Amino acid sequence: MDAYRLSLKLYFQPGAAPELAPFISIFHRWIRDHTLDHLLIDVADYSEVPNGPGVMLIGHEGHYSVDTTDGQPGFVYSHKRPEAGSFAERLRSNWRRLLAAAKQLEQEEALNGSLSIAGDHFACRINDRLLAPNQQETLASVESDLRRFAAEICGETARETAVEIEHESDPRACFGVRIRTEHPYSITALSPTLERS
Amino acid sequence: MTVISRTHTSSETDVSTAAAPAILDTWKARLRNRIPPSIEREIELYETQMELKRRGKLDDKVFAESRLRRGAYGQRYDNGQRQNGISAQTLDYPSGDLTKGPNTLWDAPGMHRIKIPFGEVTAPQMEVLAELAEEIADGICHVTTRQDFQLHFVHIDDTPDLMRRLAAVGITTREACGNVVRNITGCPLAGVCHDESFDVTPYAKALTTFLLGHPDAQDFGRKFKISFSGCDDQPCGLGRMHDIGLIAKQQTVDGTVQNGFKVFVGGGLGAVPHKAKVFTDFLPVDELLPTTQAICRVFARLGEKRNRARARIKFLVAKLGIEEFQRLVQDERSQLPEDPRWIGFLPEALPEAASLDFGTSNSDASGPFTEAFETWRLKQDGAVNEAAPIPNRPHPDAFDAWAANNVRQQRQNGYFTVLLHLPLGDLTAPQMRRLARLSREYAGGVARTTVEQNMMLRWISGGDLIELYQELSEVQLARPGAGTIVDVTSCPGTDTCKLGISSSRGLASELSRQLAERSYELDEAVQNLRIKVSGCFNSCGQHHVADIGFYGVSRKAGNHRVPHFQVVLGGQWSENAGSYGLPVVAVPSKNVPTALTRLTDFYIRERERGESFQAFVQRVGKQEIKTRLLDLTRIPGFDEDRSYYSDWGDAREYTLADLGVGECAGEVVSLADFGLAESESTAFEAQIALDAGRIDDAVRGAYTAMVQAARAITRIELPDLTENPDEVVRQFKTRFHDTQRFHDPFAGAKFANYLFRAHDANGDSVAPDAAHRRIEEAQLFIEATHACNTRLSQI
Ligand code: HEM
Ligand code: SF4
């Protein structure tokens, strides 16, 4: 799978969707302070759009958003620029980008600890209809990587974790799966396996 | 490891073209057979130019024009610099100083404008727009004030494939920007409206095809905008503010009804709006293409090329006078070699259409012929459902409130149009996909965009309305209040536009939110007012033709800058943008909602029975309105209330913090500020004079205001400068114009030239519309002086 436009989404706990307004100042400050280790460019405020990307932090390599596009609020990282490596490697690098930002968000005072991530499921999309059309073949080509990855993020002890992959197969939508893990993963620490890889 | 894998199948029945197996791994290969070869060659040429540019073998300006003509615009911060509220920050893009135009970095995200002739999009087109938004932009499809779509934060490397994917569904982004014929707009109700003379759709379509890439329409000094309207008095087509405005009209000659157009030329908004002149009262439809071609040729030959600020056709028409312009066009027309395309497109020439009569017409306004054409055209795209009345059965509570403004009965019995009220013109990719599906199920597979940044489904059978409402609600597309005061229009402003001064989207969003909260208590008189916001004087948000318009300006307060909006009153949305408003007073951005509430309350309380907002403004006078808003112009000190010093939806401080202006400069600057305040009052008095019909006073006032502003800035260096206008202009010219210190970063000498022209023309008597322009120019000159003053105090 050569596609690099991967998008990963963490979901907020039901009923714990944060207010959007504070993210505007948080993201502006991140740009100013170079808080994340890639080039951040701008903040796009789409909070007026219901079930939209909310407030976005636009970066050169990819965008972050406090997103409800699929109907459920969560925090997304969408990678945009070409990146070397295998699909499995790209999954990991994008997960790291997502987690670095999510960890940072958890420390933001303005959010008053309101950010609460449901650590038992996440979504992965491939925003590339050329290389990853939304069909069974695509699922087949990435499924084992996704499973290994999902088990990994739950930590070494979770090797036996049940991983459930739900594939939304609307052929017009991007390829997308929702992944449930029986054991929760931590967003404050990468699993030891990921740290090493 | 326990492994469960489930697959949900969606309820979609038809299969996407995008779901073909991924055997071919480039879009170019994949779409080879679906893109006309000439278009593929165009895109390949563009890719070659991109490569040459990467290797440093193509000039910046040449490449910039090339991408702009294909709709690839720059976006804010694309020079690699961004104010972070404290200091200027450099954005270190990986491709370093590789550029895609003068001062525009290669890697910087851009905006892509996608031309949608008369706003008509088909279901497959909507799906591709959604795909592109998701894959290469920020997930949002944005409807513009000229019925186009825009995608934001697009990397230039992604643009050739964007063009291919659009071309494969029949959309070209060619000539979406640049000095060419821009998107040809048209009423979204064309073909189904009660008021129209006839359906303008086939004519808009034919003119679009005819002019696209036409050699006679390539050598303009500036952009060229054309619009079609079905009637004279509704606002849908905004005919009077276009370079060419075409208004459908019927005329009976020897007992036969003939279709034709009333033609306006030389209208336009922009910094100094011009109302169009009537070119002809009736142009028969078979003359539409050749006469437009002749107008293009005259404009290309005689229009200004060097000075961008004077290059729109409005300046040519003003210079020549309408009679001379008409004569030149007629001459040109008579010499044009015959072209079969001139009449080949006419619906009358399509035998299939003419022989069809679907019997859906219940109108006398339009002959059965155009009726049959609309229905025939629709059948080409996909069938619509049987006409039916709205069923009398239980429906969701909110249905009636939604239907009150968003649903309209078509001319054809049993069919309805449905307006989708999009917040700030935005919709998400999943919403767009759902809309595509709903258009297939209910609306013949098409939708239209509107100049008010909404979308419209047409040909909805009354029998389907409740289901459609429910489906739209599921994806939050059933927002009520379309076309009412809560439906605020806005240009992109400081969010993404390089010229933005204040946050128009931020303000529009806030106003819309506050108005929606109060909507139940809003008086009916206020419900139907239109609010339009532009981020600067360029008027992309069309603030001149709103009942209440706003455009962004900035003001100094101590050592800081404060975002403001000029309140623009007196504009008229109806009668195809019948009159243009003028600025009354500049209010800090954060006080605009209060200013709006005061204005609307004042109107509700004191209007006379049946009095329109324009008539009310005219009767009570702008002076009175200004007085009522004056306390809102006060800016609290920086330490008193910092919220004034940042814009709506933007946490950064608007001004550069603590610039360390020296004492001496501080003093001199305040002298300049004092003079500027005086000039603003004079400009305002000029407006009052104009409203009262005292044209000469108005012109004199506008001129005096400019001289006062010029004097204010010149006194920074020459405190003893006299008030003699000749001396003021001379000194200003030598010290500020000739040294280019007064030059606007984008518009150059444009504003200084307003002063010089007014000075040369002083004492000449002028027509009312020229007086209106002179006042507008004075206002802009004063703005430019404010900007120059701020620049100077930052050195
Ligand atoms: C980089 C961003 C943009 C720049 C530099 C720009 C520049 C301008 C300028 C200079 C004018 C005045 C033209 C004249 O009459 O002389 C203008 C007018 C206008 N622009 Fe833009 N613009 C930008 C973006 C947009 C956008 C995003 C829209 C929204 C769709 C838009 C829609 C319009 C409209 C409707 C007018 C009124 C023109 C008329 O009808 O006469 N522009 N723009
Ligand atoms: S009005 Fe000004 S800020 Fe708004 S889009 Fe046009 S140029 Fe940009």
Side-chain angles (χ1 to χ4, degrees), chain A residues 2 4-5 24-26 28 30-34 39-53 56 58-60 63 69-70 79-81 125 127-137 139 143 147-148 151 159-174 180, chain B residues 1-10 12 14-22 24-27 30 77 82 84 86 89-94 107 109 127 130-131 133-138 140 152-153 155 157-158 165 423-424 426-428 430-431 433 440 474 476 495 505 509 649-652:
Chain A
D2 291 335
Y4 56 81
R5 295 179 199 272
I24 296 176
S25 37
I26 291 172
H28 276 295
W30 287 11
I31 299 175
R32 192 188 70 201
D33 298 346
H34 303 278
L39 175 60
L40 302 176
I41 303 172
D42 202 4
V43 180
D45 176 11
Y46 287 117
S47 45
E48 85 287 353
V49 183
N51 283 6
M56 300 184 80
I58 306 287
H60 171 67
H63 311 327
T69 312
D70 59 1
H79 196 75
K80 294 281 172 186
R81 305 296 304 149
R125 290 197 333 190
N127 289 315
D128 188 332
R129 287 166 175 83
L130 181 73
L131 302 178
N134 198 11
Q135 56 194 24
Q136 284 300 327
E137 288 83 342
L139 179 61
E143 190 167 348
R147 284 186 192 292
R148 205 166 308 125
R159 275 261 157 231
E160 302 303 313
T161 309
V163 174
E164 186 180 326
I165 295 185
E166 265 178 63
H167 174 213
E168 189 64 49
S169 73
D170 171 355
R172 295 179 201 286
C174 282
R180 289 178 194 284
Chain B
M1 177 156 39
T2 324
V3 169
I4 313 163
S5 188
R6 285 201 317 238
T7 296
H8 292 288
T9 313
S10 93
E12 288 271 332
D14 28 8
V15 175
S16 166
T17 46
L24 301 166
D25 61 2
T26 63
W27 284 111
R30 171 79 69 85
Y77 319 123
R82 181 180 186 274
N84 62 22
I86 294 175
Q89 198 168 340
T90 301
L91 303 170
D92 284 318
Y93 289 108
D107 271 334
E127 279 156 358
E131 291 176 5
E134 232 160 26
E135 294 179 36
I136 65 166
D138 57 8
I140 293 287
H152 292 97
F153 301 105
H155 195 286
D157 291 347
D158 292 327
R165 293 169 74 179
L424 305 182
D426 291 338
L427 76 170
T428 65
Q431 285 179 321
R433 264 196 298 278
R440 282 195 180 94
E474 282 174 25
Q476 280 77 32
D495 277 16
R505 278 172 58 91
S509 179
D650 194 335
R652 285 170 296 172

Side-chain angles (χ1 to χ4, degrees), chain B residues 73-74 111 113 144-146 150 222-223 225 241-243 267-271 308 312 314 491-492 496-499 538-542 750:
Chain B
Y73 273 74
M111 172 269 271
R113 183 171 294 160
T144 76
T145 53
R146 295 200 77 255
Q150 281 180 189
R222 202 72 175 80
K223 60 186 170 185
K225 297 182 176 178
M241 52 169 258
H242 280 80
D243 295 291
L269 295 184
R308 269 174 70 81
R312 293 286 290 269
K314 59 194 179 188
C491 78
T496 50
C497 175
K498 289 204 261 189
L499 303 184
N538 275 320
S539 187
C540 304
Q542 301 169 341
K750 177 172 177 167

